[in-house]
Amino acid sequence: MGGIFVLSILSILILGIIFIALIIAGIFLYFGCKLANIEDVSLGKAIVAVVGGGILSFIVSSIFSAVPVIGGILSFVFGILSYVWVIKVIFNTNWSKAFLAWLMAIVVEVVVMFIIAFIIAFIFGVGILSLMHL
């Protein structure tokens, strides 16, 4: 009986982490859309775009990765294009604004990750140079 309880708790924790990750990714896409001057942006739409874009990108990338020799490149390119297409459709915008929103979301996310990493390194006394050797 104890094992089922532990599995239930772990399942709830995993679902909670996924939910929080989707909200955070939606926030980054929300800011990316704002920076790209896309109209009628909401956090709900951004979360839907993250989920839909992630699922479609995974499917498309999986299909193209089966192509011999150039499958990796094709899966990368068409995975990104499918994700941007979802953003384009959900926010009813053009390709350039959708791509810019996707790119800005990634840039903002990377910048925030670096800031958080440096804050954590500062708190725990880890030198910046020692982080470069990881």
Side-chain angles (χ1 to χ4, degrees):
M1 188 74 155
I4 293 174
F5 178 74
V6 171
L7 280 175
S8 298
I9 296 297
L10 285 175
S11 298
I12 291 169
L13 285 174
I14 290 170
L15 288 175
I17 290 169
I18 291 170
F19 180 72
I20 291 169
L22 288 174
I23 291 173
I24 292 170
I27 291 169
F28 287 124
L29 183 57
Y30 173 83
F31 286 123
C33 289
K34 287 290 191 180
L35 290 171
N37 290 325
I38 295 176
E39 297 175 11
D40 196 27
V41 177
S42 70
L43 183 58
K45 282 184 175 181
I47 292 171
V48 169
V50 166
V51 172
I55 291 170
L56 184 63
S57 177
F58 173 77
I59 293 169
V60 169
S61 294
S62 297
I63 292 169
F64 280 100
S65 68
V67 175
V69 183
I70 59 170
I73 295 170
L74 289 177
S75 67
F76 178 74
V77 170
F78 284 107
I80 291 172
L81 284 175
S82 61
Y83 202 113
V84 172
W85 177 79
V86 169
I87 294 170
K88 177 188 174 308
V89 169
I90 288 178
F91 291 106
N92 194 25
T93 189
N94 59 34
W95 279 100
S96 59
K97 283 187 177 183
F99 182 76
L100 186 60
W102 172 81
L103 189 61
M104 290 306 217
I106 290 173
V107 169
V108 170
E109 189 172 353
V110 168
V111 168
V112 168
M113 285 184 345
F114 273 112
I115 290 170
I116 290 171
F118 283 121
I119 290 171
I120 290 172
F122 179 76
I123 290 171
F124 290 106
V126 178
I128 300 302
L129 294 178
S130 66
L131 286 177
M132 300 298 180
H133 297 311
L134 295 176

